[in-house]
Amino acid sequence: MLFFLLIAIVPIAALVSILLFVSGDSQRGKADARVAAGVQTAVAIYNERTGDATGRARRLGGSPELATALRSGRATELRALTRRVSEEPGVVSVQVLDNAGRPTAAAGSPDAVAYAKVGLTEQARPVGALRLSTTTAEEYAAQVHRLTNQQVVLRRAGATLAATVPAPSETLEPDQTADLTTGDASYRAHATTLDQDDGLTLVMLGPPKSGGVLGIGRPALAILIWFLVAAVFLAWALARTLTRLHRRVAEQAITDPLTGLWNRRHMAETLEREVLRARRFGHPISLIILDVDDFKKINDQEGHLQGDLVLEKVADEVRDATRTIDVAARYGGDELAVVLVETDREGALILGERLADRMRGTEVPLRDGGKMGVTISLGVATIPDSAEDLEGLVDAADRALLRAKRAGKNQIRAAPATRPGTAREEEPRRRGFRRHAPERRP
């Protein structure tokens, strides 16, 4: 009997105890996931409400009545106009601002949220801005609560505008996740900024916690404690083993922490597998290697933090432009790579052009104000057109990128075709060519 206890009951009790401790983190992780999903829904609803207000704001901004009131320079006419508009169905609040952002006339609910903002001009000169809202804080909070089944607290400049539960006394910083207590319930909560200019913050409260310690009842906990007394040393040894395994898994993470793309190790494994599959079944596979033009100059002139912002923006554009079956990864430094399965040479060039065009039309905010333009250079290679194996594919794409850089940057080059009947090389594609240089725009 004692032997059975030592080799069976005690180890099982130790394992159960560890699983219960781990379940605490697991429950918290699940709660965080639910709260994060609720936050995404809340942000989407807020953007939708802002979009609804934008149409009305643009119509009012272009109306002759507003233009006449602005030209008159009389605040009484502006106040009368905003008061009349705020009383129209669907309009909650209207504000007219001067060029310094100070309100010259305002009417409507002070609890309005999801403001749309449009600039006002007269004879091509800016004369201020118009802010219009079609949503109250109560309406927004109620909709988010209905769609997410989670509790919501809306705050502006520290003051509570609306809440579906008694507002907690604790205050979370933006992007902070923590446990909060309100009333008689405890929640897993996350705070996010909905509108930086308006000082509007959303606190999403997950499902209330319940149950005893670690989510089990008191009788079961009392029984478990007796087993834990006997199994403490075994549990400690097993916990150390699990901790080492967890650390090893964490070190082998397959995503790049800066860009959120796959890291080079994962890309290399995927590329090797897909090249073998493509050669076996006679399917094409393409590789695009790209980097940011004058990236060293950006780091030298604007700082490495600005360089990180540029890389994040380029990664976002790559992620948005590629398919779910493609593998976009950070290749190294400022170089990114995209593995395009089942994609021939022309398809890869089309995607490369799309990426180059998107970056030409993209501006990256500068950390100290203003914006900067960013361009990229790309090299394309394809199996079987310009390479026969994995090493040849990578080398061909790398050499094509080098030719694009030497030819003036801000363009795409394809590796020379080696298969009979295929064009030797694509001409550089530079629609909307713009020399890259960090430049500040007000």
Side-chain angles (χ1 to χ4, degrees), residues 5-300:
L5 289 174
L6 291 176
I7 67 171
I9 301 301
V10 171
I12 291 175
L15 180 59
V16 169
S17 66
I18 292 171
L19 291 176
L20 286 173
F21 277 100
V22 173
S23 73
D25 288 338
S26 176
Q27 291 174 7
R28 177 170 294 181
K30 291 179 181 178
D32 288 348
R34 291 192 62 180
V35 170
V39 169
Q40 290 181 349
T41 301
V43 172
I45 295 172
Y46 190 88
N47 292 338
E48 180 181 353
R49 291 298 185 101
T50 303
D52 293 340
T54 300
R56 301 195 70 146
R58 287 174 178 171
R59 287 194 295 273
L60 178 58
S63 67
E65 294 85 354
L66 180 58
T68 301
L70 288 171
R71 282 195 296 269
S72 71
R74 290 191 291 272
T76 55
E77 292 190 22
L78 277 176
R79 286 194 290 269
L81 176 62
T82 56
R83 185 166 52 252
R84 186 172 69 254
V85 173
S86 68
E87 295 172 353
E88 294 179 1
V91 178
V92 173
S93 176
V94 181
Q95 299 175 0
V96 178
L97 313 178
D98 59 19
N99 282 328
R102 297 184 297 266
T104 58
S109 172
D111 295 335
V113 296
Y115 278 95
K117 184 177 181 180
V118 296
L120 300 176
T121 60
E122 183 178 356
Q123 296 181 352
R125 292 183 300 104
V127 294
L130 172 70
R131 298 179 76 229
L132 185 146
S133 170
T134 60
T135 307
T136 65
E138 290 287 348
E139 292 172 346
Y140 173 72
Q143 183 180 9
V144 173
H145 173 64
R146 186 174 65 255
L147 294 179
T148 64
N149 198 29
Q150 299 185 58
Q151 307 301 335
V152 178
V153 177
L154 276 179
R155 285 174 172 159
R156 177 184 287 146
T160 300
L161 296 180
T164 57
V165 291
S169 57
E170 300 96 331
T171 300
L172 298 183
E173 296 296 328
D175 296 327
Q176 181 184 359
T177 303
D179 294 332
L180 291 183
T181 300
T182 174
D184 296 328
S186 297
Y187 297 86
R188 189 66 175 166
H190 179 82
T192 187
T193 300
L194 291 176
D195 191 334
Q196 185 72 38
D197 296 335
D198 199 33
L200 187 64
T201 301
L202 167 77
V203 179
M204 181 70 68
L205 304 172
K209 295 181 178 180
S210 60
V213 179
L214 297 178
I216 63 176
R218 291 184 178 180
L221 180 61
I223 295 174
L224 178 62
I225 290 176
W226 289 101
F227 283 108
L228 289 178
V229 172
V232 60
F233 291 103
L234 181 60
W236 174 78
L238 186 57
R240 288 192 60 186
T241 302
L242 291 177
T243 301
R244 286 196 296 267
L245 290 175
H246 182 271
R247 187 181 299 116
R248 186 180 306 170
V249 171
E251 292 172 352
Q252 294 176 350
I254 58 177
T255 56
D256 176 64
L258 175 63
T259 63
L261 301 177
W262 300 113
N263 61 18
R264 181 165 181 167
R265 183 179 65 85
H266 179 73
M267 187 208 77
E269 294 174 353
T270 303
L271 185 58
E272 181 178 11
R273 182 178 64 251
E274 292 299 331
V275 166
L276 290 174
R277 190 176 68 87
R279 295 183 63 189
R280 179 178 180 182
F281 296 102
H283 296 166
I285 181 172
S286 297
L287 175 66
I288 297 177
I289 299 180
L290 61 96
D291 71 358
V292 180
D293 295 333
D294 300 321
F295 187 73
K296 184 178 184 301
K297 183 184 296 184
I298 295 174
N299 282 333
D300 292 343

